[in-house]
Amino acid sequence: MMRTLAEILPGIIEFRHALHRIPEMAGAEFETARAIRERLAGLDLEVLPPFLGTDVVAILHGRGPGRNVTLRADIDALRVHEETGAAYASRHDGRMHACGHDGHAAMVMGAAELLASRRDSFDGSVRFVWQPGEENRAMGRDLIEAGALENPRADLVTALHGMPGLPVGVLALRNGAMMASCAHFKVTIRGRGGHSSRPHQAIDPVVAAAAIVVELQSVVSRRIDPQQAAVLSVCRIAGGELANVIPDEVVLEGTARALDMKVAAALETGVREVVEAVSRAHRTRCEIDYRLAYPVTLNAPEPTALARRVIRETVDDERFVELAASSMEAEDFAYYLQRYPGVYVKLGTGENCPALHNSKFDFPDAALAAGIEYLVNFTSAGLMTE
């Protein structure tokens, strides 16, 4: 029997609350994966064995052969102490769904429930992916490399992400770069420790590290075209334990972000050259661990046009926004879009909603219906697209 959004929505809200109570860190989403698999049990889908341990991938087969549309949700949480005051707040101290992944997972589940009831109305297949480790681990790359989006190969992929600042239920996208690349770097500066009263007998890594932090600011301001977006931030500096002891080493960590992979490469070159030159000038030695964690999230023209048409046919113009600017945040759905045609869409969580990664963020139940509706309609249109 064909089900309606109104029929399933109360259960999906309850499911989101259940996931919100059990936030788990990247690669350790065992309770979350179990809850997803238990709910899928009644839908008669082909639920695959895990590729990475805590992922859930399920395939809905239509009435005959055809295209495949893949819907992806992330399921990991953050190491943040929850302060929402919600009745369904985190039961895991120091961890919470501060990025809305509970909402993303619930919306894909809602789409699965509706589409499973309509399997006799379409050809082809729909793949539902609940992916672990989006935060910091970029496990989407590993899932793709493991073949999770093959057999059948995805012809079209999409994902939703909550966006504070947009009215609840508003859907937003843009052509091209939706989100930036992100590289993580760790720099270890090694000198020779000593007494703070005799700095001439030491080789001070603190002074070298301080000079590196200052000089790194010139990478964006003096090496990157001002019309190209780039951000370089040193976010952690650690070294020494006592006020009167010059330490042997200092560690710096940060991120470098860009909306173009050529700019991302220039950032890496700049970071390496600055660190090595300044370290050498201060007689210290340096080790640089520079890792591109996330490429640019690029929406392809044709899938973006399809999503735009689907949204406009589904909702009124007041609930659709063409984004004027990209975000300098990063997202491992970029790896899906590198290999498969697809589109990444933002979903409004409220104009006064707390920011993502904030201890008071709670994905609004009122946004779930719009997200589910988009996923179902995009899938239906994508299965019919040649």
Side-chain angles (χ1 to χ4, degrees):
M1 179 182 296
M2 188 175 294
R3 306 182 71 188
T4 68
L5 180 56
E7 289 171 347
I8 70 158
L9 193 56
I12 292 301
I13 291 172
E14 183 180 320
F15 181 62
R16 184 190 79 80
H17 293 180
L19 295 183
H20 192 91
R21 292 186 184 99
I22 54 170
E24 297 170 290
M25 303 304 291
E29 306 93 335
F30 297 103
E31 283 185 84
T32 303
R34 182 164 57 250
I36 293 168
R37 288 179 180 274
E38 287 174 356
R39 192 169 183 95
L40 288 175
L43 296 184
D44 191 25
L45 306 185
E46 180 187 0
V47 182
L48 305 181
F51 292 84
L52 303 179
T54 56
D55 60 275
V56 181
V57 179
I59 300 177
L60 167 63
H61 297 280
R63 62 194 173 194
R67 289 163 56 82
N68 173 266
V69 176
T70 291
L71 311 180
R72 173 269 202 175
D74 36 18
I75 63 172
D76 55 320
L78 287 160
R79 204 172 294 284
V80 175
H81 178 73
E82 181 162 354
E83 296 181 325
T84 63
Y88 47 84
S90 170
R91 294 174 179 170
H92 297 168
D93 190 44
R95 289 174 282 169
M96 73 169 288
H97 273 296
C99 200
H101 294 187
D102 54 332
H104 306 166
M107 289 186 293
V108 170
M109 181 62 72
E113 292 184 8
L114 289 182
L115 288 165
S117 74
R118 305 173 187 182
R119 71 181 77 223
D120 294 333
S121 66
F122 61 83
D123 293 325
S125 62
V126 188
R127 180 185 287 103
F128 307 96
V129 176
W130 288 271
Q131 178 215 298
E134 188 278 326
E135 301 283 357
N136 299 313
R137 293 276 299 273
M139 291 177 70
R141 170 186 51 204
D142 304 324
L143 196 62
I144 290 167
E145 291 301 324
L149 270 68
E150 301 293 333
N151 302 317
R153 181 178 174 84
D155 293 294
L156 200 56
V157 298
T158 194
L160 286 167
H161 200 296
M163 184 176 179
L166 279 180
V168 172
V170 167
L171 293 154
L173 49 65
R174 72 190 308 273
N175 284 320
M178 274 288 285
M179 303 181 81
S181 67
C182 180
H184 293 194
F185 60 84
K186 178 179 179 181
V187 175
T188 304
I189 307 297
R190 292 194 170 89
R192 184 172 67 235
H195 199 287
S196 63
S197 67
R198 295 186 289 275
H200 60 290
Q201 294 179 353
I203 298 176
D204 194 342
V206 175
V207 175
I212 287 169
V213 171
V214 172
E215 191 59 32
L216 280 175
Q217 306 312 304
S218 71
V219 173
V220 172
S221 67
R222 292 297 176 267
R223 290 174 179 244
I224 304 300
D225 183 337
Q227 298 189 57
Q228 294 280 0
V231 178
L232 195 158
S233 298
V234 178
C235 300
R236 176 175 177 265
I237 180 166
E241 296 181 5
L242 298 172
N244 64 344
V245 177
I246 296 171
D248 288 315
E249 70 176 42
V250 173
V251 174
L252 307 174
E253 291 187 80
T255 61
R257 302 167 186 265
L259 294 176
D260 183 286
M261 293 310 295
K262 291 181 180 178
V263 176
L267 286 174
E268 178 174 2
T269 299
V271 168
R272 291 184 180 278
E273 290 180 352
V274 164
V275 170
E276 291 169 356
V278 176
S279 176
R280 187 166 53 251
H282 286 266
R283 299 181 299 142
T284 59
R285 293 171 291 113
C286 66
E287 291 181 6
I288 305 169
D289 178 11
Y290 196 102
R291 176 174 53 87
L292 179 67
Y294 304 84
V296 178
T297 303
L298 285 172
N299 279 347
E302 290 185 5
T304 304
L306 177 64
R308 187 182 292 112
R309 176 173 63 81
V310 165
I311 294 168
R312 283 178 164 160
E313 289 176 353
T314 302
V315 302
D316 55 48
D317 285 343
E318 291 182 358
R319 288 177 55 199
F320 170 73
V321 170
E322 190 79 35
L323 293 172
S326 309
S327 167
M328 297 308 291
E329 298 166 336
E331 159 68 64
D332 78 352
F333 193 65
Y335 288 104
Y336 294 72
L337 297 177
Q338 280 187 333
R339 190 169 299 190
Y340 307 96
V343 58
Y344 188 72
V345 177
K346 296 292 187 75
L347 173 64
T349 57
E351 293 171 284
N352 298 312
C353 177
L356 299 174
H357 295 204
N358 183 285
S359 61
K360 291 183 170 60
F361 178 83
D362 184 16
F363 191 95
D365 293 331
L368 293 171
I372 295 169
E373 195 173 29
Y374 162 73
L375 292 172
V376 169
N377 292 342
F378 180 85
T379 299
S380 298
L383 289 171
M384 294 187 293
T385 302
E386 292 299 330

